Amino acid sequence: MERHEISRIAHHDHPIAAPLSDGAVRDLLARLLRGREDGRLLDLGCGEAPWLVRALAAHPALRAVGVDADADALRTALRTAQQLGVERRIGLHHRDVREFAAAEPFDAVLCVGATRTFGGIGPALAAIGPLLAPGGAVLLGEPYREREPAPPARDLAGTVAAVRDAGWLPVAGHTSSRAELDAYAWARTGSLTDWALDRPPGPDRDQALRAAADDREQWLGGQREALGFVTLVLRRGA
């Protein structure tokens, strides 16, 4: 199986691909879209577009665009939009997020867990800037290091400093709780394990079980105490 297939299975029971509760997602979207409820929303790296369909369901005048390189995820996103009756207000683009361009700017842009595709926080915000209308806002989700060892290079203060150095300022934020981080990790590994145990013996089953075991061992072996996740609502600095 390809990496994106493993990811899709892992997020079956936690459709937001980030350690955020339903309440946190609702509150962050409400803050991002405050005063922009009848505008245009873009999600770079949307996957199955859970952020977008929730936003569209909550705001009947909102229009949205999602961009992702995973065609299967976009097909799922379209089916979900059809089930919720919001498909006429969403556009889905199968392409590399770094190649996306728009004729009309967006009032808000989502980039949650996708800055690595651009090469980091600075390059991601540099790419988002031209897509954003004056007065618009960005929702940026990013892992950070709480203590050694952990893969991300920055701690929380360094993450916020990188945003500021790129010319943006936080106007709201959410630091994921231990409960949110744990729920996300158990959902990922549990969904993969559940999926595998329902399959007959074979390469896909073995791969899913191995991916779940590796993820679980890394989390319990050090990442659980070392990693955090912050989601920031940003606006351009003066």
Side-chain angles (χ1 to χ4, degrees):
M1 288 187 290
E2 299 291 336
R3 180 179 176 181
H4 63 82
E5 293 177 279
I6 291 284
S7 178
R8 191 179 312 112
I9 295 167
H11 289 99
H12 180 270
D13 295 313
H14 200 293
I16 296 294
L20 294 163
S21 66
D22 285 341
V25 171
R26 181 190 62 242
D27 293 346
L28 286 163
L29 279 173
R31 181 61 182 86
L32 176 70
L33 296 173
R34 191 169 71 190
R36 307 177 182 93
E37 295 90 346
D38 59 351
R40 283 165 41 85
L41 175 64
L42 170 67
D43 190 346
L44 294 170
C46 67
E48 296 181 359
W51 290 91
L52 296 184
V53 294
R54 291 186 189 203
L56 290 169
H59 303 290
L62 187 71
R63 293 162 292 155
V65 170
V67 185
D68 203 277
D70 184 350
D72 289 336
L74 294 177
R75 282 190 283 270
T76 299
L78 180 57
R79 287 195 297 270
T80 303
Q82 290 169 338
Q83 291 167 2
L84 294 174
V86 300
E87 72 276 9
R88 293 183 180 274
R89 293 187 284 124
I90 190 170
L92 299 168
H93 298 264
H94 178 219
R95 68 184 61 181
D96 189 314
V97 294
R98 295 168 296 183
E99 300 172 355
F100 179 73
E104 183 181 353
F106 292 86
D107 300 286
V109 177
L110 292 154
C111 185
V112 180
T115 63
R116 65 184 180 277
T117 304
F118 294 93
I121 291 174
L125 290 172
I128 290 169
L131 300 171
L132 197 65
V138 175
L139 186 68
L140 186 80
E142 187 75 6
Y144 65 87
R145 172 176 53 81
E146 285 198 313
R147 57 183 66 86
E148 298 291 352
R154 297 185 181 92
D155 59 10
L156 179 55
T159 298
V160 175
V163 166
R164 182 198 60 219
D165 291 345
W168 300 75
L169 295 174
V171 296
H174 176 83
T175 305
S176 293
S177 67
R178 171 59 56 207
E180 287 174 305
L181 290 158
D182 279 346
Y184 182 49
W186 288 120
R188 289 195 318 266
T189 59
S191 294
L192 277 169
T193 303
D194 221 17
W195 182 91
L197 293 176
D198 287 336
R199 264 62 188 177
D204 286 351
R205 183 182 194 269
D206 293 343
Q207 186 179 358
L209 286 172
R210 186 167 57 251
D214 290 347
D215 189 350
R216 186 168 53 246
E217 288 169 11
Q218 289 176 21
W219 179 248
L220 298 177
Q223 284 186 353
R224 183 174 185 268
E225 302 302 325
L227 286 177
F229 196 88
V230 64
T231 313
L232 302 170
V233 180
L234 307 174
R235 295 186 63 186
R236 283 192 182 92

